[in-house]
Amino acid sequence: MDPQAELRIIRAAYAKQVLAAANVSNAHIAGAFASVRREDFLGPGPWLVRRLFGDYVPTPDADPVYLYTDDLVALVPERRLNNGQPSLHAHLMHQAEPAAGEHVVHVGTGTGYYTAILAHLVGPTGRVTGIEFDAALAARARTNLAASANVEIIAGDGTQASFDAADIVYVNAGCTRPAARWLDGLADGGRLILPMTSDQGFGSLTPARMAHGGAVFRIRRSGADYHAAWISPVAIIPCAGGRDDASERALADAFVRGGWQDVTRLYRHQDVPDRRCWLRGDGWCLAYD
């Protein structure tokens, strides 16, 4: 069999396995995972794949077949910076609900694999703005996505970079507070996928530690209101520009208290009573109705 034909079959099987692991039934997302070539975004093989307990194991050779598993693959192994877990992204994309013609802002684009999947999901009438803090990774993403007319890559701080009104802001790094730029930049009806992590939430593969150190919220804008819902535990690299000592301590304390699964609103003022706040920051809070 032609190697590329074989890989197309493998990618289709990979997409089904990834969505099954994410407990997601979504033909649109499955088609995107089956279509985008992961090997085009990871540099030359062999590759380092992260296995149980955080150890990297090299693939036996440079055959791309080894990339089509639900595993993290190293981008910068000495920094524990990886191409993220496919099933987590399938779940988060399902929650974000990208549709044809929409504008997605991808904060933490890395080398562009999940940016390419988002671009596939919004189609040629939509567009993706990828923002990457690491200039070297941004340059790789720009090269990898050069043929994608509906993708723009920006090197810079994703909490500060300017972008047009977004239907989705898809953040792939752990914050201790939502950036005002993201909330301001959401169009009416827009969705923010927001990972929030304490210093316990990066690098842990222990479910108990993940559950108490990282949570992903979906924030949906409705006019001046922001509805919130917890959608996943998470362990993810910290967000440059999206953390500070005071909000780090407040978030860690909030995880100790529990209750993040019951959050329903994000408010951008200080008038919410403490009894209704899960997490309070400077001029905002995640709260219960």
Side-chain angles (χ1 to χ4, degrees):
M1 180 183 292
D2 172 70
Q4 289 305 315
E6 182 179 14
L7 278 172
R8 284 193 291 272
I9 294 170
I10 289 167
R11 275 195 294 272
Y14 156 80
K16 289 184 177 181
Q17 292 290 341
V18 163
L19 267 69
N23 194 26
V24 166
S25 178
N26 187 315
H28 190 37
I29 291 175
F33 273 86
S35 298
V36 176
R37 294 158 47 109
R38 198 178 190 189
E39 62 270 25
D40 290 350
F41 299 88
L42 300 178
W47 301 275
L48 292 174
V49 178
R50 190 172 179 184
R51 302 299 190 190
L52 194 61
F53 307 118
D55 294 332
Y56 288 114
V57 177
T59 59
D61 53 48
D63 188 337
V65 68
Y66 299 115
L67 300 176
Y68 292 104
T69 61
D70 189 27
D71 291 299
L72 292 79
V73 180
L75 297 176
V76 188
E78 61 273 18
R79 290 169 49 196
R80 295 161 66 199
L81 180 60
N82 307 302
N83 180 249
Q85 187 170 32
S87 60
L88 173 64
H89 284 274
H91 173 64
L92 298 184
M93 289 179 189
H94 179 66
Q95 294 290 332
E97 302 177 291
E102 290 194 319
H103 177 210
V104 179
V105 174
H106 184 190
V107 178
T109 199
T111 57
Y113 174 59
Y114 295 108
T115 312
I117 291 177
L118 289 166
H120 188 282
L121 290 168
V122 299
T125 62
R127 59 194 178 104
V128 179
T129 302
I131 307 173
E132 175 52 51
F133 185 83
D134 186 303
L137 293 179
R140 288 176 62 183
R142 194 174 291 115
T143 297
N144 294 338
L145 291 159
S148 299
N150 63 341
V151 177
E152 177 189 11
I153 300 298
I154 298 171
D157 183 344
T159 68
Q160 300 295 327
S162 179
F163 55 83
D164 295 336
D167 299 290
I168 298 170
V169 178
Y170 187 79
V171 180
N172 284 167
C175 309
T176 55
R177 48 183 166 75
R181 184 71 196 87
W182 303 337
L183 298 173
D184 292 340
L186 281 180
D188 193 17
R191 291 81 71 197
L192 166 63
I193 301 300
L194 179 66
M196 302 193 74
T197 58
S198 75
D199 57 8
Q200 299 297 311
F202 171 49
S204 171
L205 293 181
T206 305
R209 285 189 63 195
M210 282 178 61
H212 290 82
V216 186
F217 295 93
R218 182 187 59 230
I219 312 296
R220 187 183 298 269
R221 185 171 189 172
S222 178
D225 296 329
Y226 295 86
H227 301 277
W230 173 85
I231 56 174
S232 177
V234 71
I236 197 168
I237 191 169
C239 179
R243 310 181 72 86
D244 61 76
D245 289 343
S247 61
E248 179 85 58
R249 290 191 296 272
L251 181 60
D253 290 345
F255 278 124
V256 170
R257 291 194 303 273
W260 59 89
Q261 299 97 328
D262 300 321
V263 166
T264 58
R265 295 288 294 271
L266 185 147
Y267 292 99
R268 302 187 72 182
H269 57 73
Q270 298 280 33
D271 300 333
V272 183
D274 286 344
R275 60 183 170 76
R276 289 182 51 212
C277 284
W278 176 68
L279 174 65
R280 187 186 297 277
D282 183 12
W284 64 274
C285 75
L286 284 168
Y288 319 110
D289 280 335

